[in-house]
Amino acid sequence: MERLCRKTTLVCVAVMLLSGLSGQARAGALSSSDSIQAQSLGEVMVTANRYSEVIPSQKLAGKELQALNSFSVADAIRYFSGIQIKDYGGVGGLKTVNIRSMGTNHMGVYYNGIQLGNAQNGQVDLGKFSLENIEEISLYNGQKSEIFQSAREFGSAGSIYLTTRRPKFKPGEKSHLKASLKTGSFDLVNPSVLFEYKLSESVSMTFNSEWTNSSGKYKFRYKRVTPSGEVAYDTTATRQNGDIDAVRFEGGLQGYLPNGSWKAYVYHYSSERGIPGAIVNNVWRNGERLWDRNTFVQGVYQQDITRKYAIKVNAKYAFDYTHYMNNDDKLMQVDNHYKQREVYVSLANKYSILHNWDVSVAYDMQWNGLSEYMSASRYTHWISAATAFSLADRLKMQASVLATLVDETAEGKDKAPGKSKVTPAIFISYQPLKRYNWVLRAFYKQIYRMPTFNDLYYTDMGNADLKPESATQYNVGFTYAVAPKTGFLSGFHTGVDAYYNLVKDKIIAYPKGQQFRWTMLNLGKVDIRGIDVQATATFRLPLEIGLMTKVQYTYQEAIDITSPSDNYYRNQIPYIPWHSGSAILGLTYKDWGLNYSFVYVGERYNQQENIEYNYVQPWYTSDISLVKSFKIKAVSLKVTAEINNVFDQAYDVVLNYPMPMRNYRLGIAIEL
Amino acid sequence: MTMKLFSKHIIPWVLLATVLLVVSCREDDVIVLTEYEPLPMLDSLSSFSGLYLLNEGNMGSNKCTLDFVDFVQGQYARNLYAERNPNVVKELGDVGNDIEIYGSKMYAVINCSHKVEVLDARTCKRLGQVDIPNCRYVAFDGGYAYVSAYVGPVGIDPNAQLGAVFQVDTATLEITAEVTVGYQPDELLVQDGFIYVANSGGYRKPDYDYTVSVIDIATMTQIRKIPVGINLHRIRADRYGKLWVSSRGDSKSVPSRLFVLEKDKRTGRMEVSDTLDIPCSEMEICGDSLYLYSVAWSDASQENRVTYGIVDVRTGELLSDNFIKDGTEADIEIPYGLKVNPENGDIYVTDAKNYVSSGNLLCYGRDGKLKWKVRTGDIPAHMAFLKKNN
């Protein structure tokens, strides 16, 4: 039954897409892909890219992003294909993202253009980033295929770009003020304020602040039945120690220069939270607490020096403080403090040899320091060279090569040897027929991820001799878009990609002696094959009704091929579903908006062996939101009501970390 | 044309797909059922009906499970608990650390579930549980169970987390007394009215504990601490009344060692009489033979160095440094449990592999040759024989 219904699902999604395509082929008349996307998604028009990308990103922006019942960036990212989220549940629970099964550490997350780092464990908690002031989220497989970027941006297997709201003033406007308040389940109180001010014709400032407070309490349920269908047990309890209290301040200044622009940004986040922990027999609460402060200042300056030569400078200083405490008197008392510092500078140069042929060279340098509980520091240098070539705007090619050099020191530990790696990438797209917006695309990319401080130096576990972990990616696919000027359909866009990734020298924990001592070794090898499909359609309906649909589906086989002697050899790696997908349906009528979104994650296993005992059932949630906007003179008011997990599903994303069941949120925003 | 096509094709499919996704696929989770596997063995003449094996399960996974080697039926039963006790919420628990049978009851010490699970030794049906925080090992004497626990009552200095030994009445399953001992006590045993407890001090690394606590059962007080060696773990008695204590060492400069404690003839008190430079991770005394294995990580070779030895308890001499004679030790990734059948000399060794997948139970004959091997739960570790008259 399980398998049958899984297949049915797959077939339905496939048939749906095919029927879409067959309809499309006859639709004819086309324009460029960018304008279609803008039109079909009804998004706020964003500043166009000056340098076109070979392979465009998956994007959520503007109204579409706002209409999703998403609280954090992690919630929104579930609607991208090829992505798996690890979610430990609740407002304050850790949420990390994994692209195409290569592991969290291969994902680069960029905040307003500069990567968010965590040299200690390489993971970025996307649950910390609220959607409140995010205007656009883009996901690139491989890298942003635009050559005018910092060297480090060539250095991830997948990249997420988070862009905060950019001030846009209509003629005569001088300032914007927006205040909002969200409340609902988990005793959530989440006020925020945004202020934008035009200082002069070319300079503007933004200020944004947000407070999030929640008890993190929610009901969860564990139920088992006997083979005859009798209830074995059925328990509902309340999640404890999942509270969070967090504040965020952001401020920015941006300006335009003749043939250039600059931007300076300050970010500060401070939180205290409980770590709710695993729910196991006889244990229903946990005593771990976490305090963290993340602060960074960053700046970008971009200038066309001549008509052919342009530069971009990025700089960042970040300071992160983490205080972890376990004060459960049944367990070992722990009180650890960690401080991380990061200094980053980058210079990118681009030169146009011909109007359709560009070259770029970039150099980035970063220093990372970790202190208190353990001490280590690292210098990383990235040097990139890239070239982009296009022909009649139909053939686009880009090749890049990145050199990464790492030099480490660690106090009281064996120093990890210096490392250097050179990795190439090639991106190609081609539109075979001028009349049809059907674009073929392919990329090949090799990437290394350097071991983190924890991998190298963590007490007992770290191994200074680790080599970098490597991933090779191959991708082929196509996009197809159409925007009929008349008729029922107003826009359709689809993208299909097939890929093969090979992860080698994967850094894994290996048992060492007795008593749960582990060490990190370059042992793992994973073979990943997958297909990503996405489609978006917008429709023209009578009576000012707007309808938008978006479907996304991912098939993945990610198998462990480390050693034939393992009893999980060629088994699907933990927590990677074979099938996953999402669907969004958005209806608008005058000032009203109704949005339905659905996320599906298929069956998977919670450990390496694909045996019954480790089997995890699929989960799927439906979220609904209703939005009403009002306009009273110059004041716009927006009220949002959301129901999440409408069908009250009790599920775990990570074993023994129950997720919230049905929950509600109410939001109000005033803008003037 | 376009419009017609789309109203015909896309809309129904979107709806159908959505509906299908919503209404299907997730079912109620069924309790995990016992799996049976035949074993190439039958020992119906044995006075044992079989051997229980407690799989620890990785921390946080709640995957502690109970398996049984059935000597009479010649089969292996994997994961008995959930099927025998379907109504227990979240099954047996998180990280099993010890299992013993006393009378007709079986006691499973479940470390991270902070409880001792008490089962009927024959049926594996639950009789009750005793809540003991961070409990580790269990020993018995005179109708009482004694359970070591890493943390005792919170003392004056909250940073000094001293451990404790709890006394449990096996008839009522009530805690009747509690004694504070050294830091993070592990194994314990009862001899001549005293409880000897091996203190590890694992939470205080690198300032490990180095003592064996002695508790007088009559008064349930700690009467002294015997200095032995750092980070103690196992404690066993041989038939001559000597105590064998293993130390884990610090995995750096101090290696794992084996200590012998004997009654001092003059004072009549237990003291260290011998220190053997033999690393020991687990041991089992059978007659005059002390079987042991040790696992030590070698930084130089980036490998675990494993030995399977036999020590003569009379002389302290290492008789063999490999009791496995057929070369199959190469198939064992991480030995994690050891038991010897006192009747026929069979040796049971468990392999915990990478701690996060199924392990193996291997049975060797007295001759050191592999008799059979079977897949277990995660981290197979602790074993207890079930007697036919238990």
Side-chain angles (χ1 to χ4, degrees):
Chain A
M1 177 61 205
E2 205 58 55
R3 256 151 238 275
L4 179 75
C5 78
R6 203 182 74 206
K7 292 237 170 71
T8 322
T9 307
L10 173 62
V11 169
C12 283
V13 173
V15 168
M16 197 180 89
L17 288 161
L18 286 175
S19 61
L21 282 178
S22 63
Q24 277 317 305
R26 277 163 264 194
L30 297 155
S31 57
S32 92
S33 118
D34 283 344
S35 68
I36 280 166
Q37 255 188 321
Q39 199 178 326
S40 67
L41 302 185
E43 66 183 19
V44 174
M45 204 43 212
V46 296
T47 42
N49 274 324
R50 288 178 63 202
Y51 310 100
S52 63
E53 296 163 4
V54 179
I55 297 181
S57 63
Q58 294 184 58
K59 209 175 272 184
L60 277 169
K63 281 188 184 136
E64 190 192 4
L65 182 59
Q66 284 168 23
L68 294 173
N69 299 30
S70 299
F71 189 70
S72 73
V73 167
D75 297 335
I77 278 173
R78 300 182 303 175
Y79 300 100
F80 287 137
S81 59
I83 283 285
Q84 296 86 39
I85 296 268
K86 254 195 173 181
D87 187 343
Y88 289 78
V91 179
L94 176 69
K95 293 163 181 58
T96 61
V97 62
N98 175 358
I99 187 162
R100 291 182 170 180
S101 305
M102 284 177 289
T104 306
N105 289 302
H106 281 286
M107 191 86 188
V109 182
Y110 296 80
Y111 200 77
N112 283 335
I114 300 184
Q115 195 171 358
L116 294 166
N118 186 343
Q120 189 181 351
N121 63 20
Q123 300 192 341
V124 176
D125 181 0
L126 288 171
K128 274 188 191 172
F129 294 92
S130 118
L131 279 180
E132 181 51 40
N133 67 332
I134 300 287
E135 187 172 82
E136 183 184 300
I137 305 174
S138 311
L139 169 75
Y140 293 88
N141 288 305
Q143 65 208 24
K144 196 205 281 186
S145 50
E146 169 196 328
I147 63 163
F148 192 31
Q149 59 183 0
S150 66
R152 197 179 172 187
E153 289 174 88
F154 292 98
S156 305
S159 311
I160 292 173
Y161 285 80
L162 308 176
T163 310
T164 57
R165 180 171 146 150
R166 285 165 282 208
K168 287 179 275 288
F169 297 101
K170 287 188 195 125
E173 277 185 336
K174 201 120 182 89
S175 67
H176 291 150
L177 181 68
K178 186 185 165 199
S180 71
L181 175 69
K182 285 191 194 122
T183 180
S185 304
F186 328 121
D187 306 307
L188 176 75
V189 181
N190 176 219
S192 78
V193 61
L194 173 83
F195 179 64
E196 293 171 341
Y197 188 73
K198 193 165 150 187
L199 293 164
S200 72
E201 272 315 305
S202 58
V203 181
S204 61
M205 61 153 282
T206 49
F207 172 79
N208 174 232
S209 178
E210 179 183 18
W211 177 49
T212 308
N213 187 284
S214 163
S215 69
K217 286 194 173 135
Y218 56 84
K219 291 260 186 296
F220 63 90
R221 178 178 176 188
Y222 281 108
K223 182 184 174 187
R224 290 283 181 282
V225 297
T226 63
S228 59
E230 262 174 77
V231 174
Y233 62 79
D234 185 355
T235 283
T236 302
T238 302
R239 199 77 169 118
Q240 301 288 346
N241 198 41
D243 60 295
I244 180 165
D245 185 71
V247 286
R248 179 175 58 82
F249 298 99
E250 284 178 59
L253 267 177
Q254 45 261 305
Y256 294 96
L257 303 165
N259 304 316
S261 65
W262 58 273
K263 196 168 178 178
Y265 214 76
V266 185
Y267 177 98
H268 178 76
Y269 176 88
S270 171
S271 77
E272 178 189 345
R273 71 186 75 202
I275 301 176
I279 296 293
V280 299
N281 171 279
N282 216 27
V283 181
W284 299 91
R285 72 170 303 143
N286 186 298
E288 291 166 284
R289 307 288 303 169
L290 189 76
W291 290 260
D292 56 351
R293 288 201 296 268
N294 310 109
T295 310
F296 63 77
V297 286
Q298 68 182 40
V300 185
Y301 166 63
Q302 194 173 319
Q303 184 74 55
D304 293 348
I305 306 285
T306 68
R307 266 184 47 233
K308 291 184 162 233
Y309 176 55
I311 60 159
K312 180 148 85 176
V313 179
N314 280 310
K316 179 176 179 175
Y317 171 78
F319 176 70
D320 296 332
Y321 165 78
T322 309
H323 176 197
Y324 165 81
M325 201 161 153
N326 193 347
N327 49 18
D328 183 338
D329 56 26
K330 288 177 176 170
L331 299 170
M332 182 174 167
Q333 305 284 289
V334 181
D335 189 358
N336 289 341
H337 299 256
Y338 304 87
K339 283 178 185 167
Q340 282 197 68
R341 288 180 179 81
E342 181 177 304
V343 179
Y344 168 77
V345 284
S346 161
L347 171 67
N349 305 271
K350 188 189 73 105
Y351 185 75
S352 302
I353 297 171
L354 296 169
H355 76 281
N356 60 350
W357 184 23
D358 292 346
V359 288
S360 83
V361 177
Y363 166 72
D364 295 14
M365 196 277 283
Q366 181 171 292
W367 174 83
N368 286 94
L370 181 65
S371 62
E372 301 264 311
Y373 181 69
M374 64 182 191
S375 287
S377 74
R378 158 191 294 173
Y379 284 95
T380 314
H381 307 265
W382 291 270
I383 302 156
S384 68
T387 180
F389 178 74
S390 66
L391 209 62
D393 229 25
R394 281 170 52 197
L395 175 70
K396 293 178 188 174
M397 287 192 290
Q398 185 201 303
S400 62
V401 60
L402 171 71
T404 312
L405 297 102
V406 180
D407 183 33
E408 319 243 359
T409 47
E411 209 171 275
K413 307 265 180 182
D414 294 337
K415 175 188 174 325
K419 296 169 187 69
S420 61
K421 287 288 172 191
V422 177
T423 48
I426 297 168
F427 289 74
I428 298 172
S429 75
Y430 177 58
Q431 184 183 345
L433 304 163
K434 205 172 174 205
R435 262 164 48 78
Y436 291 94
N437 196 348
W438 178 50
V439 181
L440 306 174
R441 59 194 190 178
F443 78 83
Y444 161 79
K445 183 172 184 179
Q446 228 183 52
I447 201 66
Y448 288 93
R449 83 126 170 124
M450 296 295 161
T452 64
F453 282 146
N454 279 0
D455 294 339
L456 294 166
Y457 308 117
Y458 200 72
T459 322
D460 275 347
M461 224 169 106
N463 178 357
D465 295 325
L466 282 178
K467 290 179 286 186
E469 178 177 312
S470 89
T472 312
Q473 299 169 268
Y474 303 87
N475 183 105
V476 291
F478 68 86
T479 54
Y480 180 70
V482 64
K485 297 237 165 18
T486 56
F488 175 54
L489 186 84
S490 61
F492 178 82
H493 180 269
T494 185
V496 178
D497 284 277
Y499 51 90
Y500 169 63
N501 301 333
L502 186 65
V503 181
K504 280 192 289 193
D505 293 328
K506 192 175 168 72
I507 297 170
I508 59 161
Y510 183 82
K512 159 183 166 181
Q514 288 288 80
Q515 295 302 314
F516 294 106
R517 292 238 169 80
W518 309 73
T519 189
M520 306 306 292
L521 291 182
N522 289 102
L523 264 188
K525 205 169 169 189
V526 186
D527 175 299
I528 303 149
R529 288 149 206 255
I531 296 167
D532 288 351
V533 180
Q534 71 254 351
T536 309
T538 49
F539 303 91
R540 261 183 221 106
L541 294 168
L543 302 168
E544 292 176 62
I545 299 171
L547 172 66
M548 186 278 294
T549 59
K550 186 171 179 146
V551 194
Q552 165 275 114
Y553 166 80
T554 298
Y555 173 81
Q556 265 186 87
E557 184 187 73
I559 56 173
D560 190 315
I561 52 164
T562 304
S563 159
S565 67
D566 294 328
N567 43 13
Y568 45 84
Y569 181 63
R570 299 193 72 82
N571 283 6
Q572 185 90 346
I573 61 172
Y575 292 115
I576 302 298
W578 280 269
H579 304 276
S580 58
S582 66
I584 301 171
L585 205 76
L587 260 177
T588 51
Y589 174 68
K590 292 184 177 166
D591 292 339
W592 291 86
L594 180 69
N595 201 75
Y596 169 79
S597 48
F598 176 80
V599 175
Y600 177 91
V601 172
E603 58 181 0
R604 64 222 179 277
Y605 289 90
N606 58 37
Q607 280 182 198
Q608 286 156 310
E609 277 172 294
N610 294 176
I611 55 175
E612 190 69 32
Y613 193 45
N614 299 332
Y615 175 83
V616 187
Q617 297 240 18
W619 64 263
Y620 33 91
T621 52
S622 293
D623 301 340
I624 292 173
S625 70
L626 184 66
V627 184
K628 167 79 173 125
S629 307
F630 307 87
K631 191 107 187 167
I632 307 160
K633 288 180 184 165
V635 180
S636 35
L637 191 73
K638 199 177 93 177
V639 181
T640 312
E642 298 174 19
I643 310 175
N644 300 310
N645 195 356
V646 174
F647 297 104
D648 213 20
Q649 195 166 96
Y651 66 104
D652 290 2
V653 174
V654 180
L655 180 70
N656 300 327
Y657 286 83
M659 298 291 291
M661 294 166 67
R662 187 185 303 126
N663 62 84
Y664 309 89
R665 211 157 31 223
L666 199 67
I668 181 160
I670 298 174
E671 194 164 349
L672 49 132
Chain B
M1 183 67 182
T2 310
M3 185 171 144
K4 211 169 162 192
L5 268 167
F6 272 86
S7 54
K8 237 182 188 165
H9 293 273
I10 283 208
I11 300 289
W13 282 113
V14 168
L15 290 175
L16 184 62
T18 312
V19 167
L20 265 173
L21 285 163
V22 172
V23 297
S24 62
C25 295
R26 196 177 162 95
E27 287 157 18
D28 277 334
D29 279 307
V30 177
I31 53 162
V32 180
L33 300 177
T34 309
E35 297 173 314
Y36 294 92
E37 210 170 296
L39 289 179
M41 65 158 291
L42 257 182
D43 193 1
S44 46
L45 297 177
S46 168
S47 67
F48 298 122
S49 13
L51 177 74
Y52 281 108
L53 168 64
L54 187 70
N55 300 289
E56 291 190 354
N58 198 21
M59 200 189 272
S61 71
N62 199 45
K63 287 188 177 179
C64 172
T65 57
L66 186 62
D67 298 351
F68 185 64
V69 183
D70 191 328
F71 292 179
V72 182
Q73 309 273 336
Q75 68 177 6
Y76 191 76
R78 196 181 298 114
N79 201 351
L80 290 165
Y81 187 89
E83 189 177 292
R84 303 287 166 92
N85 301 284
N87 306 121
V88 178
V89 177
K90 292 239 131 193
E91 300 83 37
L92 185 51
D94 197 28
V95 191
N97 203 66
D98 197 12
I99 188 162
E100 298 291 340
I101 293 172
Y102 185 66
S104 62
K105 290 175 185 161
M106 178 154 63
Y107 299 78
V109 182
I110 315 297
N111 183 227
C112 295
S113 286
H114 309 288
K115 65 160 187 186
V116 178
E117 181 80 14
V118 186
L119 305 172
D120 181 288
R122 309 220 126 259
T123 62
C124 289
K125 291 249 200 268
R126 175 190 167 93
L127 300 172
Q129 77 175 41
V130 188
D131 287 321
I132 296 177
N134 212 331
C135 42
R136 299 286 297 171
Y137 290 93
V138 63
F140 300 91
D141 184 63
Y144 288 93
Y146 297 94
V147 181
S148 63
Y150 265 7
V151 290
V154 180
I156 297 160
D157 177 3
N159 296 319
Q161 292 182 285
L162 280 164
V165 170
F166 290 77
Q167 184 188 52
V168 179
D169 185 331
T170 56
T172 61
L173 304 184
E174 298 290 329
I175 294 171
T176 46
E178 146 177 20
V179 193
T180 301
V181 292
Y183 294 103
Q184 289 76 57
D186 271 317
E187 283 195 1
L188 71 173
L189 66 80
V190 183
Q191 195 179 64
D192 303 332
F194 297 103
I195 307 168
Y196 296 90
V197 191
N199 297 310
S200 73
Y203 287 179
R204 297 167 60 82
K205 184 189 161 210
D207 303 315
Y208 293 105
D209 205 327
Y210 55 92
T211 62
V212 167
S213 289
V214 186
I215 298 166
D216 179 8
I217 289 182
T219 57
M220 275 309 277
T221 49
Q222 176 179 249
I223 52 170
R224 58 185 282 254
K225 280 181 171 178
I226 312 166
V228 179
I230 64 156
N231 203 359
L232 302 179
H233 186 197
R234 313 276 180 194
I235 183 161
R236 306 290 164 90
D238 64 20
R239 56 179 168 187
Y240 306 104
K242 289 189 288 189
L243 303 184
W244 295 75
V245 183
S246 74
S247 115
R248 296 183 181 104
D250 64 0
S251 71
K252 286 195 186 97
S253 56
V254 184
S256 166
R257 279 200 190 99
L258 203 47
F259 298 89
V260 187
L261 274 64
E262 270 178 279
K263 279 219 170 85
D264 185 285
K265 290 203 178 64
R266 204 165 41 82
T267 61
R269 306 202 303 186
M270 278 286 179
E271 303 292 352
V272 174
S273 65
D274 202 359
T275 302
L276 306 180
D277 209 5
I278 299 171
C280 171
S281 302
E282 169 66 300
M283 62 176 143
E284 174 83 355
I285 297 172
C286 191
D288 286 336
S289 299
L290 182 151
Y291 295 79
L292 62 82
Y293 68 75
S294 76
V295 185
W297 177 257
S298 160
D299 275 326
S301 65
Q302 293 278 297
E303 267 177 5
N304 284 314
R305 216 157 34 89
V306 183
T307 51
Y308 300 91
I310 301 173
V311 174
D312 186 330
V313 295
R314 291 166 299 183
T315 59
E317 205 183 318
L318 189 67
L319 298 176
S320 164
D321 64 359
N322 194 355
F323 60 70
I324 298 175
K325 301 296 182 198
D326 57 359
T328 51
E329 70 270 25
D331 302 337
I332 303 175
E333 218 170 306
I334 291 275
Y336 205 79
L338 177 69
K339 198 83 184 166
V340 181
N341 187 327
E343 284 185 347
N344 60 13
D346 279 358
I347 308 161
Y348 304 93
V349 179
T350 64
D351 180 1
K353 296 190 178 270
N354 68 349
Y355 298 153
V356 284
S357 58
S358 304
N360 281 331
L361 171 64
L362 301 93
C363 175
Y364 289 93
R366 200 192 285 274
D367 57 1
K369 291 199 174 123
L370 184 67
K371 284 183 158 179
W372 49 264
K373 171 169 139 175
V374 67
R375 182 167 70 83
T376 64
D378 294 1
I379 320 183
H382 311 280
M383 288 166 271
F385 285 108
L386 175 68
K387 286 197 196 111
K388 282 184 174 154
N389 60 7
N390 263 127

